[in-house]
Amino acid sequence: ALVDPRGENGPIGIGFLDRELRFRRLNQLLADIDGLPVREHLGRTWRELLPRLPHDRIEEALREVIESGRPILDVEIEGETPTAPGKRRSWVEAWYPVRSGGEVLGVGALVQEVTAEREAEEFRRNVLGIVGHDLRNPLAAVMNLASLLSRAEDLPPERRRVATRILGNAARMERIISVLLDYARVRAGQKLPLHRRPCDLSAIAQAVAEECEAARPGRQVRCAGAGESSTGSWDPDRLAQVLANLVSNALDYGAPGTPVDLAWRADASEVLVRIANDGPPIPADVLPFVFEPFRKAGRERQGKEGLGLGLFIARAIAAAHGGDIEARSGAGERTVFTLRLPRE
């Protein structure tokens, strides 16, 4: 039997159409989706009610359900309705045979609107196009020209400094664009691209530690490893991006003058990397959400403010490798981020 179509609290629209494809019953939500009262549906077909839908396709599928007795699931339909004239809307529908004994009496229709989701997907695709092409290409030209200018032998010192400053700011913009591009990819349900090859985590960690110390004179990053070999099949650039983000956060949020520890332990199947810092803990109400996009850690930061996407992207990179990142922080203990990396 069909779920009671008169229920008004269901999450989806529900209707029953007879063998002539005319509505016999439906719930209020389906009527609201169509933009017409329940009573105007009864005895009429979708073609009569909503002329701006792809009716030939719909009716062919509905008749197939009646004749074959088999359901058709996850059908996406696009069109217009009186609810929003001129606006393209999207629905995902499922059509089931409704039987009495061995006879198929008609079709049960389940309808869920997905217009907002499809609009969000289109927006993300547009962002990917803008960020990945329309911004990156002219920025690359600026960086190339600034680099050539800064190397010119006859350039006065002051203009050389200006060219170097342009190059530095363009490089920073390129990093921001890369982060936004990664964010758009993840939000679009795509995996981050990886270029795996055999590499040594200990060498990557040492290089990241040195770079972070150079960027923050007077601060110390202590590296230590234990267990088996720290080699694996990873994307070394992406892995450096994760470690640089976690170490930079630890330096920025940690107590001034205290070291940050970057330690790893390897076994036969995976490598665990822990980045620990002293200082104020992440508030308990913030900790469960630190990996969400555009979230701040809720502590005073010593460095420059970022986009709030670093931890989100770091976890996405870990997930693309088949791993994960966890955070632990509380009163009287160090703040620790743990990266788990399977070797393969």
Side-chain angles (χ1 to χ4, degrees), residues 100-235:
S100 176
E103 181 184 1
V104 176
L105 301 180
V107 179
L110 305 181
V111 181
Q112 183 174 18
E113 182 159 8
V114 293
T115 302
E117 290 86 344
R118 297 300 176 262
E119 290 175 345
E121 289 171 4
E122 183 178 2
F123 174 77
R124 286 192 286 267
R125 285 194 297 270
N126 291 337
V127 169
L128 281 170
I130 293 170
V131 173
H133 182 271
D134 297 343
L135 291 180
R136 265 190 163 172
N137 286 356
L139 183 59
V142 170
M143 294 178 71
N144 289 335
L145 291 172
S147 179
L148 289 173
L149 186 60
S150 67
R151 295 197 302 267
E153 294 181 359
D154 58 347
L155 192 67
E158 185 168 337
R159 292 189 178 181
R160 190 182 305 279
R161 285 193 295 271
V162 171
T164 302
R165 193 176 301 123
I166 291 172
L167 188 59
N169 280 283
R172 181 171 179 269
M173 289 176 63
E174 208 280 333
R175 289 193 295 271
I176 292 172
I177 288 172
S178 294
V179 169
L180 290 174
L181 186 59
D182 284 343
Y183 169 72
R185 283 172 174 149
V186 175
R187 280 307 202 194
Q190 301 176 12
K191 285 190 174 181
L192 295 182
L194 297 179
H195 302 286
R196 289 178 180 263
R197 62 179 186 270
C199 55
D200 188 349
L201 183 139
S202 64
I204 296 170
Q206 291 284 356
V208 167
E210 292 172 6
E211 291 174 6
C212 290
E213 286 181 338
R216 296 165 179 80
R219 299 302 300 276
Q220 181 184 14
V221 180
R222 302 184 300 200
C223 291
E228 300 188 11
S229 168
S230 60
T231 59
S233 177
W234 305 306
D235 183 327

Side-chain angles (χ1 to χ4, degrees), residues 65 68-73 95-97:
V65 171
S68 69
R70 294 190 299 269
I72 297 178
L73 309 178
W95 301 315
Y96 295 86

